Amino acid sequence: MLDYAGLKAVAAVARTGSFEKAAKALNVTPSAISQRVKQLEDRLGVVLVVRGSPCTATEKGEWLCRHVEQVEMLEGGLFEHLPSLGPAAGVGGQVTVHIATNADSLGTWFLPAAAAFTRQTGHLLNIAVDDQDHTAEWLKGGRVLAAVTGLEKPVAGCRRVFLGSLRYHATASPDFVASHFPHGVTEAGLARAPALTFNQKDRLQSLWMRQALQRDVAFPTHWLPSTQGFVEAALLGMGWGMNPVALVKEHLAAGRLVELLPGVTVDIPLYWQVNRMAADQLRALTQAVTAAARDGLQA
């Protein structure tokens, strides 16, 4: 028999980052939270919470937290029909659902889906951001229940839906292009012109250069971990970057930005993967995500 008082204590500590805040959320004392977490850890023989500022869940703790989320979603449906069970069950507030997406999806098409889901269900979202090639690791590690990912192969225990492709244009300001590519885009020019790179996981510039020139080019770069910052930096002439079409189409139409090579784009296929055990409870989120993807991605 699972110790749900202990499980909810672990989940509350992981969600709030402290034993004190978890105690307030569950309307008990901090010592009660500490005791419940310690008893569950002793029973399982593993550490579930890394004590610190903030407190975080271990990998085993993350798996238990995701289980608690699923239970809370099931309880929410039950309480709608039998509201008198709520207080007796010790409900600790709204359900928080952990999901992951890439930054460019979050900055373009994903938020309308998230907003529609929260309006419909009343659930809260904890959205983690990582590169689309790495969000699947959050699912594999039990840190989230669903993710937008570039991984086509279904993660073990997950359902997968193809969403569409996020299209990127290599863009820069007209002055930047005139200064660094006066005779057109060349390998030598790309080796000197500063690019914009999100982080070490960002491979879009290399993909574009391989598509444009059929070879890899070593290039200087600014490191800028911001989707909107990429657009602003390109407008200000800091460098050239791979920007989602939704964020630059008006700038391209107005001439504030230009394509380095018109018509040479990079399409990144995206998939929605959701834990099978939570798929029914997250049906509304899946529907919202697929609807938003139809409007915001390339088919």
Side-chain angles (χ1 to χ4, degrees):
M1 185 70 177
L2 292 176
D3 174 12
Y4 278 100
L7 290 175
K8 289 190 175 185
V10 170
V13 172
R15 182 170 61 248
T16 63
S18 77
F19 284 75
E20 291 75 16
K21 291 179 180 178
K24 290 180 180 178
L26 296 181
N27 197 29
V28 297
T29 65
S31 61
I33 293 292
S34 180
Q35 185 178 27
R36 292 176 186 179
V37 173
K38 184 66 166 58
Q39 286 177 343
L40 187 58
E41 289 179 327
D42 289 343
R43 177 183 173 187
L44 298 176
V46 296
V47 176
L48 299 174
V49 174
V50 179
R51 278 71 169 172
S53 184
C55 296
T56 57
T58 63
E59 182 179 356
K60 295 293 192 300
E62 292 282 4
W63 279 104
L64 292 179
C65 289
R66 301 297 80 78
H67 174 76
V68 171
E69 286 176 26
Q70 296 176 55
V71 170
E72 288 177 339
M73 285 187 286
L74 287 169
E75 286 179 345
L78 180 62
F79 297 154
E80 287 182 6
H81 297 91
L82 297 170
S84 61
L85 286 179
V91 183
Q94 293 168 280
V95 177
T96 298
V97 180
H98 288 66
I99 59 177
T101 186
N102 59 314
D104 288 339
S105 288
L106 188 63
T108 52
W109 64 272
F110 188 79
L111 272 181
F117 172 70
T118 58
R119 286 195 302 268
Q120 181 177 348
T121 64
H123 294 336
L124 303 174
L125 288 177
N126 186 326
I127 304 176
V129 176
D130 204 343
D131 185 87
Q132 65 271 359
D133 292 332
H134 296 267
T135 49
E137 298 300 322
W138 292 67
L139 271 172
K140 294 176 183 177
R143 301 167 69 186
V144 298
L145 290 176
V148 175
T149 174
L151 182 66
E152 180 179 5
K153 181 180 178 181
V155 173
C158 292
R159 295 178 183 174
R160 184 210 56 152
V161 178
F162 175 64
L163 296 174
S165 296
L166 192 55
R167 176 163 293 174
Y168 291 85
H169 292 263
T171 56
S173 69
D175 288 344
F176 182 91
V177 172
S179 174
H180 291 87
F181 306 108
H183 306 298
V185 175
T186 63
E187 182 177 349
L190 287 169
R192 293 191 300 268
L196 303 168
T197 304
F198 193 89
N199 58 25
Q200 284 81 358
K201 299 175 182 177
D202 184 2
R203 60 191 181 93
L204 289 172
Q205 294 77 13
S206 295
L207 288 174
W208 181 85
M209 286 187 286
R210 203 171 300 141
Q211 184 168 321
L213 303 175
Q214 285 75 53
R215 62 175 61 89
D216 293 318
V217 178
F219 57 94
T221 189
H222 301 291
W223 301 94
L224 187 60
S226 167
T227 295
Q228 189 57 47
F230 257 50
V231 179
E232 295 299 324
L235 288 167
L236 292 169
M238 280 184 62
W240 68 274
M242 300 299 296
N243 285 305
V245 61
L247 297 183
V248 296
K249 60 183 178 181
E250 292 184 3
H251 295 303
L252 291 171
R256 294 184 291 268
L257 290 176
V258 295
E259 292 188 72
L260 267 60
L261 288 175
V264 179
T265 60
V266 173
D267 288 352
I268 300 298
L270 295 175
Y271 304 86
W272 176 244
Q273 299 219 32
V274 58
N275 185 300
R276 288 183 183 274
M277 299 296 292
D280 289 342
Q281 287 73 49
L282 294 179
R283 184 180 294 109
L285 179 56
T286 296
Q287 292 172 343
V289 167
T290 53
R294 283 195 297 271
D295 294 334
L297 298 177
Q298 306 295 315

